[in-house]
Structures are given as structure tokens and as C-alpha cells.
Amino acid sequence: MKVSQFVTKIILRIFFILLFAALVPFFYGDQAKFQHIYLVFHHNWEMIFPAIIIIAFIFLLITCAVKKFKEPQLNWLLVVNTIVLLAYGIAIYIRIFQMVH
């Protein structure tokens, strides 16, 4: 049980550090470059999957925090969800970085 708590907290810290590090260029970078970036989705249903991942992350984060990370099953679900969300966020970050530079 201690391992799942430790891994969950480490993954969450990595996620939030990377999230804040990815936001730094938006605040301190050249704002003119970011004004003409558009993410186009050809079908509306393509937005369902990222929304499900984000909503599940928020739900699991709140649930685990309320239960003080004592339930290993929820902790591992949060770890898997956070890793998938990290992969999705990194893919979007790379795509936007390619558009800017």
C-alpha cells in the first residue's frame, strides 16, 4: 500500500511540474507567435476522448485526495490516467512547438 501512495504522489508531482513548465513560454514568450495557433478537429467526436481523460483525472485526483491516498486500486488508476494524460499533453506540446518554430 505504501508503494502505490509513493508512486502516485511522485507521478502527480511530475505531472504538475511539467504542466507549469509547459505554460512558461505562453507567459514569457513572444505572444505574437501564439495568436495564430489553431487546433482543428475535423470531427466533433474527437474531443470526447480528451474530455474523458481530463474529467477522469479530476475525479480520481479528488477521490484519492479525500481518501488520503489509502486505496491502492484508486491510486494505480490515477497513475495510469496521469501517464496517459502526460502522453497526450506532451503530444500537443510538441505539435504546438513545431507550429511556433
Side-chain angles (χ1 to χ4, degrees):
M1 184 158 91
K2 295 282 184 185
V3 173
S4 69
Q5 286 178 325
F6 181 73
V7 171
T8 304
K9 290 180 182 180
I10 292 295
I11 293 293
L12 284 174
R13 288 179 183 149
I14 290 171
F15 173 75
F16 285 117
I17 288 170
L18 287 176
L19 181 68
F20 291 130
L23 291 177
V24 168
F26 291 109
F27 293 121
Y28 296 112
D30 185 14
Q31 297 299 323
K33 291 180 181 179
F34 297 117
Q35 289 179 351
H36 301 290
I37 293 177
Y38 303 103
L39 296 176
V40 177
F41 294 93
H42 300 289
H43 306 287
N44 289 338
W45 59 267
E46 290 176 343
M47 291 300 296
I48 292 172
F49 302 112
I52 289 172
I53 294 170
I54 292 168
I55 290 169
F57 172 76
I58 293 169
F59 174 76
L60 285 169
L61 182 63
I62 291 171
T63 305
C64 287
V66 166
K67 296 185 181 202
K68 300 190 191 294
F69 299 99
K70 296 292 183 194
E71 293 192 25
Q73 292 88 2
L74 287 175
N75 290 345
W76 290 118
L77 279 173
L78 182 59
V79 167
V80 170
N81 188 297
T82 306
I83 290 172
V84 171
L85 192 59
L86 272 171
Y88 186 75
I90 290 170
I92 290 176
Y93 183 80
I94 290 171
R95 183 69 179 136
I96 290 174
F97 188 75
Q98 288 174 350
M99 285 185 217
V100 171
H101 288 35

